[in-house]
Amino acid sequence: MNKTITLLLLLFFLAGCYYDNEEELYPTTNCDTSDMSYSSNILPILQNYGCLTCHSNANPQGSVDLEGYNDVTTWVNNEKLLKSIQHAPDASNMPKSQAKMAECDINKIEAWITNGAPNN
Ligand code: HEC
């Protein structure tokens, strides 16, 4: 009997955690990834996650400079930017030592890259 109650409590607890995650709070259906612009969408995302604090022109950690469109495209073209934020196994996970970015923000960057990473 006790085992059943414990199991029910555990299930309840796990369900609670599940509904707390970012995807549930910000469903991808509400994520508008159309017409992504470098200056109005992508740059603010990079700023929000502190990417430019560690990857500035003046002090680019890991020799990764993300300050300015031309510097960003270097890391778009070698595919490391998307891989790092998607936590792909063949790139360092970014933002470094922090939780993965919200799925919607990752999708926006991916959509912008798929669209040819325009300087708009
Ligand atoms: C706290 C500092 C810090 C923050 C914040 C940070 N990075 Fe990094 N980043 C690093 C360091 C240091 C490296 C060098 C590799 C390593 O040590 O993991 C790196 C490496 C990278 C690389 C190269 C990855 C590879 O596998 O070669 C990319 C691309 C990158 N960062 C993008 C980003 C993006 C995009 C963000 C924001 C979402 C970000 N970084 C946030 C410190 C940071």
Side-chain angles (χ1 to χ4, degrees):
M1 197 49 152
N2 268 340
K3 264 188 192 163
T4 314
I5 291 170
T6 313
L7 198 66
L8 282 174
L9 281 174
L10 190 70
L11 280 175
F12 190 70
F13 177 73
L14 288 176
C17 289
Y18 176 72
Y19 285 112
D20 277 347
N21 77 24
E22 277 168 22
E23 261 134 301
E24 288 299 317
L25 293 173
Y26 308 104
T28 31
T29 43
N30 287 345
C31 184
D32 184 3
T33 60
S34 57
D35 298 324
M36 285 296 109
S37 141
Y38 173 70
S39 54
S40 359
N41 304 108
I42 307 307
L43 182 59
I45 293 175
L46 298 179
Q47 285 168 334
N48 281 347
Y49 287 93
C51 310
L52 298 177
T53 313
C54 291
H55 297 297
S56 66
N57 275 164
N59 185 18
Q61 289 193 29
S63 302
V64 178
D65 184 348
L66 297 178
E67 197 176 334
Y69 173 80
N70 288 335
D71 293 310
V72 171
T73 51
T74 303
W75 297 93
V76 166
N77 294 336
N78 70 14
E79 295 174 10
K80 290 285 188 185
L81 185 88
L82 193 57
K83 283 181 176 175
S84 70
I85 60 174
Q86 287 176 332
H87 291 190
D90 51 346
S92 294
N93 292 354
M94 292 294 140
K96 196 170 175 66
S97 313
Q98 290 171 48
K100 203 174 170 184
M101 296 165 67
E103 208 57 40
C104 181
D105 289 333
I106 296 173
N107 291 344
K108 284 179 174 180
I109 293 179
E110 186 174 18
W112 174 69
I113 291 173
T114 305
N115 212 21
N119 185 9
N120 53 0

